[in-house]
Amino acid sequence: MNPPAGGGTESQTGPHDPDSFVAAGAPRGAARAAVVALHGRGATAQGIVNLLDPVARHGVAFVAPRADRSRWYPGAADDPLKRNEPHLSSALGVVESVLDRVASTVGVPRERTVLLGFSQGACVAAEYAARNPGPSPVVVLSGTLLGPTVDADADRYAGDERFDGTPVFVGCGADDARVDAGRVRDTADVFRSLGADVTERRYDGVGHEVTDDEFEYVDALLAGLVGDRDPG
């Protein structure tokens, strides 16, 4: 695709640069849906674009921002939020900036832009979405909301904004040593409490990886967004 406008660092606030990303797939004018994809710790933007190759289809643009030093925040998912600052706030700002850019320069509105993340990127995607309920479908792969506990009553999730049945997928391997199963369940419950249409799946015998079932879910979701068929 033609890269969205950008290239400078004028809008950068914090360690992550919202103007640094990989773009692939359908160009402006041909894109009917988009995926904003957040890579995991130690991975790359190009890596997650490559990971999503099985769900690439005509009419879908992919935009993957790069984390500074290949990490969105330095600590653990269950660390106190302040311990992961200013990186966390900067990461959430990057998500907001890229979603806006996809709408303004690629021409895909938020209701047809999927916010997806894997591992640490999934944690950032979940945290952004829970703080900013909206029309973008959300896919959380092997990640959870952040902080020592996952609590639907957390002040940062409170307010008048709610999902209006927006699809949210939360998936994780049952043998994933990096992601606590209880936090995954609590993360799904937070999104339910916020009015999302939650699909929660846990895969026996699977570690820290993306499953064929998860690819199939994303593929069906994108098919529905571009009008090929209804989302599964």
Side-chain angles (χ1 to χ4, degrees), residues 37 54 56 64 66 75 80 92-93 99 110 115 134 149 156 166 189 205 215 218 220:
R66 296 184 180 92
L92 299 177
L99 286 171
R110 288 203 179 196
L115 176 59
T149 60
R156 63 187 186 278
T166 299
D189 285 344
F215 282 126
V218 175

Side-chain angles (χ1 to χ4, degrees), residues 170-186:
V170 180
C172 184
D175 296 333
D176 190 339
R178 303 183 190 180
V179 183
D180 180 83
R183 292 175 62 89
V184 173
R185 288 193 295 271
D186 292 344

Side-chain angles (χ1 to χ4, degrees), residues 34-37 110 112-116 136-139 221-222 225:
V35 178
V36 171
R110 288 203 179 196
R112 284 190 277 118
T113 298
V114 178
L115 176 59
L116 177 150
S136 293
V138 182
V139 177
L221 178 63
L222 293 175
L225 292 176

Side-chain angles (χ1 to χ4, degrees), residues 157-194:
Y157 305 143
D160 295 332
E161 287 185 281
R162 289 178 56 83
F163 293 100
D164 185 19
T166 299
V168 173
F169 179 94
V170 180
C172 184
D175 296 333
D176 190 339
R178 303 183 190 180
V179 183
D180 180 83
R183 292 175 62 89
V184 173
R185 288 193 295 271
D186 292 344
T187 295
D189 285 344
V190 168
F191 283 111
R192 289 189 184 96
S193 75
L194 292 170

Side-chain angles (χ1 to χ4, degrees), residues 25-27 30-33 55-62 222-223 226-228:
R32 288 174 285 157
V55 300
R57 64 171 53 237
H58 182 73
V60 177
F62 294 84
L222 293 175
V226 300
D228 289 349

Side-chain angles (χ1 to χ4, degrees), residues 73-161:
Y73 50 85
D78 59 356
D79 278 347
L81 295 176
K82 288 183 178 179
R83 193 171 295 171
N84 281 320
E85 295 292 5
H87 302 77
L88 175 58
S89 291
S90 178
L92 299 177
V94 165
V95 175
E96 177 76 15
S97 175
V98 172
L99 286 171
D100 284 346
R101 183 167 294 174
V102 167
S104 63
T105 67
V106 184
V108 178
R110 288 203 179 196
E111 57 266 29
R112 284 190 277 118
T113 298
V114 178
L115 176 59
L116 177 150
F118 174 69
S119 192
Q120 196 181 69
C123 297
V124 173
E127 191 70 22
Y128 175 85
R131 296 186 188 197
N132 304 276
S136 293
V138 182
V139 177
V140 180
L141 303 173
S142 304
T144 70
L145 289 163
L146 298 172
T149 60
V150 176
D151 183 0
D153 294 326
D155 289 344
R156 63 187 186 278
Y157 305 143
D160 295 332
E161 287 185 281

